[in-house]
Amino acid sequence: MLQPVFFRSVFGILPLFIVLLPVNSSTCVMENTTVIREKYENILSHDIELLENMSEEYRDRCCRNKRHETPSAFFCNDTQEIRSLQNMACDMLKFFYKKKINKDFRWQTARVSCMTLEILRCRCDRESKNRKVCILLTQPSKDTLGAQDPKKKCCQELCELKETIASLRSCWNKFEKEIAR
Amino acid sequence: RQGPEPPLYHVLPTCVECIVFNDQYLTCMWGSKEMPTANYSLYYWIENHMPVECKHYLQEEGINTGCWFNHSEIIQFRTFYIHINASHEGRSLVIPTKAMKLQDLVKPAPPVNLTIQNISNNQLQLTWDSMYNKPRCLEYAVRYKSNKDTRWTEHLASGKIFSFPSVDYEKYYTFYVKSKINQYCGTTQLWSEWSVPVFWGNNATDQGLGQRTPTGACPLPFCRVWVIFMPRIPNPSKNFDELFNIHQGNFPEWAGVSKDVVESFKPNYSESFCYVSELPPKEGSLPLWGGHDKPRAPPGRSSAPASSSSPGLILSKKSYVGV
């Protein structure tokens, strides 16, 4: 007679455990900082520079006004540079689906994000979406949509992306400077 | 008669320059003694923090013209804001400033201990040290010139070493080095000052001690002078005048070669041409060449080529014609 009560109580608690599981359950495999530095300097830094140049081309007047209103949500925390880079890279993946942003710009953003995660040996929280974007990059592009004319009305997503790119670059600089001691 | 004092905002400094010196201290300068007399104060903060007033002002003739921050007050890799107030006789104005990234405003100290080594024949190696505590974040530029050069030559170097491949021992060289934060640790165009120079080579060539005058006069009492008489190198252009003016370019005649020798060089056989033509074309198509386009035989004792107007992949050969 106690069995139904037992199972009811156990299965009642289990969903609660799932709800209470921390959202940020992303993981990073420990990687040698020397290896990270070499990969960043020899490979990723060039793609980041290209992305920054693309970001500079897509000037948007409204970004200048909004910069002080909505500062970057990502900080590169002291002694937690890798975790900060992971958060930024994962956040940047969402821009891949923002059709208001130029296609080449979105693809280069995704490329930098995926390379950052690969070099750091990290993955994002929403595993399925992360894998999908980084897998799409290896396939022939079927994406024909996207703004070709950057001079459009204020695009909040573009402003946010430009801020995130700047934060990512800055955080990599901080990481390099930290391990250069 | 003096007019009214101009508005304060017409003469205020319009910009603030901040530089982080060697990651050790920061200065933000906004003016000089030429500024209007006012009470200047600086406040700084990063995101989500309250503004803090400058603790150590820099002054010129009693007027605040800048602020000095020690190492612990320098916050890199966060957006850094400053705010300068200018107040005078109850009026107050703000000098506008931009948000800054202090990691992009680092100016390293100049390199030190420049040393030159002679590592092999005619090859020098220049090395140096850096006073910056993260030398892996630096890139360098080397500038050098010899006493015979009119311009400086500049090369970039990623490490604290520079090889000079081909040095002239008769020259006197001067080397300088400067440094900058590289692209991996920041985004800056701020180079350090040039280092103290290092010199290498023979500084005596300009004194004239090693020079020998064309007449062979020797300034030292016991030197030996060798005089070698060399025949004057003739100018050949005059001899060739006869070739063109008298012999009309006939070289054998000008050179005096006998006619028999000249004749012996002429070929005494003839060689026929081997014509290759294309296959018969289909109706409507054109041959590679028509009959008038056939290659002509050079003048000489060769047999006339046989006509081969009909197109076809034919190899035709005539027999030799003996002399």
Side-chain angles (χ1 to χ4, degrees):
Chain A
M1 186 160 177
L2 289 176
Q3 281 182 341
V5 175
F6 168 77
F7 283 112
R8 230 181 6 252
S9 62
V10 167
F11 285 108
I13 293 173
L14 187 58
L16 193 61
F17 281 153
I18 294 174
V19 169
L20 292 178
L21 271 175
V23 176
N24 295 331
S25 59
S26 58
T27 56
C28 290
V29 177
M30 284 296 294
E31 179 63 281
N32 189 319
T33 54
T34 303
V35 173
I36 294 175
R37 181 177 62 82
E38 285 176 355
K39 289 180 179 178
Y40 166 72
E41 291 183 7
N42 293 324
I43 306 172
L44 181 57
S45 65
H46 306 289
D47 279 278
I48 291 178
E49 187 175 350
L50 176 60
L51 184 62
E52 283 186 308
N53 292 339
M54 296 173 83
S55 178
E56 282 294 310
E57 287 180 16
Y58 298 106
R59 293 187 179 278
D60 197 319
R61 285 185 181 179
C62 81
C63 294
R64 226 181 293 151
N65 298 330
K66 290 188 180 295
R67 188 167 298 148
H68 297 289
E69 296 173 15
T70 56
S72 172
F74 295 101
F75 297 124
C76 193
N77 297 321
D78 293 343
T79 71
Q80 295 186 18
E81 289 83 9
I82 291 179
R83 181 60 186 263
S84 302
L85 284 167
Q86 175 200 20
N87 291 337
M88 292 177 195
C90 290
D91 184 71
M92 279 167 62
L93 286 173
K94 72 184 181 192
F95 293 101
F96 187 75
Y97 299 104
K98 305 291 184 184
K99 300 300 185 184
K100 285 184 181 179
I101 301 175
N102 179 272
K103 173 200 161 188
D104 291 339
F105 193 19
R106 287 188 284 115
W107 276 68
Q108 184 63 18
T109 299
R111 191 172 293 119
V112 166
S113 302
C114 296
M115 286 172 66
T116 295
L117 293 168
E118 184 179 337
I119 289 172
L120 298 176
R121 301 185 68 185
C122 294
R123 59 181 184 179
C124 301
D125 293 338
R126 281 180 277 184
E127 184 65 33
S128 58
K129 191 167 188 178
N130 171 27
R131 278 189 179 172
K132 188 178 178 183
V133 172
C134 294
I135 290 172
L136 281 174
L137 289 183
T138 62
Q139 296 171 355
S141 170
K142 296 178 184 177
D143 182 359
T144 56
L145 299 179
Q148 297 305 316
D149 179 14
K151 297 179 183 177
K152 288 199 164 185
K153 286 193 279 187
C154 183
C155 173
Q156 185 57 37
E157 288 122 336
L158 183 66
C159 299
E160 191 182 336
L161 174 56
K162 286 162 68 69
E163 286 282 341
T164 310
I165 290 169
S167 298
L168 182 86
R169 165 61 186 266
S170 181
C171 198
W172 270 114
N173 290 153
K174 186 169 188 292
F175 171 78
E176 283 275 313
K177 210 164 181 177
E178 191 62 34
I179 65 173
R181 292 182 186 278
Chain B
R1 179 183 172 181
Q2 290 185 346
E5 193 172 311
L8 196 59
Y9 60 80
H10 280 170
V11 294
L12 278 177
T14 56
C15 68
V16 181
E17 186 184 26
C18 294
I19 297 177
V20 180
F21 289 93
N22 211 43
D23 269 358
Q24 291 174 320
Y25 64 92
L26 162 69
T27 62
C28 290
M29 308 297 296
W30 56 83
S32 63
K33 60 184 178 183
E34 282 78 30
M35 285 191 314
T37 301
N39 186 17
Y40 299 95
S41 56
L42 177 144
Y43 293 83
Y44 67 95
W45 69 97
I46 57 173
E47 303 106 329
N48 303 328
H49 285 68
M50 293 299 295
V52 175
E53 187 175 0
C54 171
K55 296 181 179 63
H56 189 126
Y57 284 104
L58 301 171
Q59 295 184 333
E60 279 189 50
E61 296 185 358
I63 299 176
N64 291 342
T65 55
C67 180
W68 185 90
F69 301 79
N70 65 30
H71 175 76
S72 63
E73 294 172 308
I74 300 172
I75 305 167
Q76 295 189 35
F77 301 103
R78 297 287 291 271
T79 306
F80 185 76
Y81 301 92
I82 61 173
H83 178 98
I84 297 175
N85 278 335
S87 60
H88 180 67
E89 294 181 350
R91 294 179 298 165
S92 181
L93 283 172
V94 174
I95 300 174
T97 60
K98 295 180 181 178
M100 289 176 275
K101 294 181 180 177
L102 295 182
Q103 68 271 16
D104 295 340
L105 298 174
V106 176
K107 180 174 181 175
V112 295
N113 298 337
L114 270 62
T115 307
I116 293 185
Q117 289 178 325
N118 201 339
I119 58 175
S120 68
N121 292 341
N122 296 345
Q123 188 170 356
L124 298 182
Q125 188 174 79
L126 173 67
T127 57
W128 56 87
D129 289 320
S130 172
M131 299 298 290
Y132 190 63
N133 61 356
K134 304 179 187 71
R136 197 183 291 166
C137 282
L138 294 180
E139 61 182 19
Y140 303 92
V142 178
R143 184 173 73 165
Y144 61 89
K145 185 168 80 75
S146 78
N147 57 341
K148 303 297 182 186
D149 296 326
T150 55
R151 293 182 183 179
W152 291 94
T153 301
E154 203 165 306
H155 285 290
L156 295 179
S158 57
K160 292 185 284 186
I161 188 169
F162 174 72
S163 293
F164 193 70
S166 178
V167 67
D168 187 340
Y169 286 86
E170 296 297 319
K171 295 180 180 177
Y172 187 68
Y173 294 89
T174 304
F175 294 88
Y176 291 90
V177 185
K178 63 179 179 180
S179 61
K180 183 175 78 70
I181 301 294
N182 63 29
Q183 58 171 327
Y184 307 121
C185 298
T187 309
T188 174
Q189 299 303 319
L190 281 175
W191 285 93
S192 72
E193 300 300 322
W194 287 108
S195 65
V196 173
V198 67
F199 307 96
W200 188 91
N202 181 7
N203 199 17
T205 52
D206 286 340
Q207 306 302 323
L209 295 178
Q211 289 181 346
R212 298 185 188 279
T213 62
T215 60
C218 182
L220 299 178
F222 299 106
C223 69
R224 180 178 295 178
V225 176
W226 291 92
V227 178
I228 301 173
F229 292 97
M230 297 290 292
R232 189 169 64 92
I233 298 174
N235 184 350
S237 62
K238 290 184 180 176
N239 292 339
F240 280 98
D241 287 344
E242 293 180 1
L243 169 64
F244 298 108
N245 297 334
I246 298 177
H247 301 283
Q248 281 78 46
N250 190 331
F251 185 84
E253 182 183 308
W254 170 76
V257 180
S258 68
K259 287 189 177 179
D260 291 338
V261 173
V262 172
E263 289 294 322
S264 69
F265 280 97
K266 291 181 180 176
N268 56 4
Y269 67 92
S270 65
E271 196 170 8
S272 62
F273 286 93
C274 184
Y275 289 98
V276 178
S277 55
E278 63 181 1
L279 288 170
K282 293 180 182 177
E283 287 187 7
S285 62
L286 297 174
L288 284 177
W289 63 71
H292 60 276
D293 288 335
K294 286 180 226 174
R296 293 178 298 170
R301 299 180 61 184
S302 59
S303 63
S307 168
S308 179
S309 57
S310 59
L313 192 60
I314 302 168
L315 298 179
S316 62
K317 209 169 186 180
K318 293 293 181 183
S319 58
Y320 285 117
V321 176
V323 176

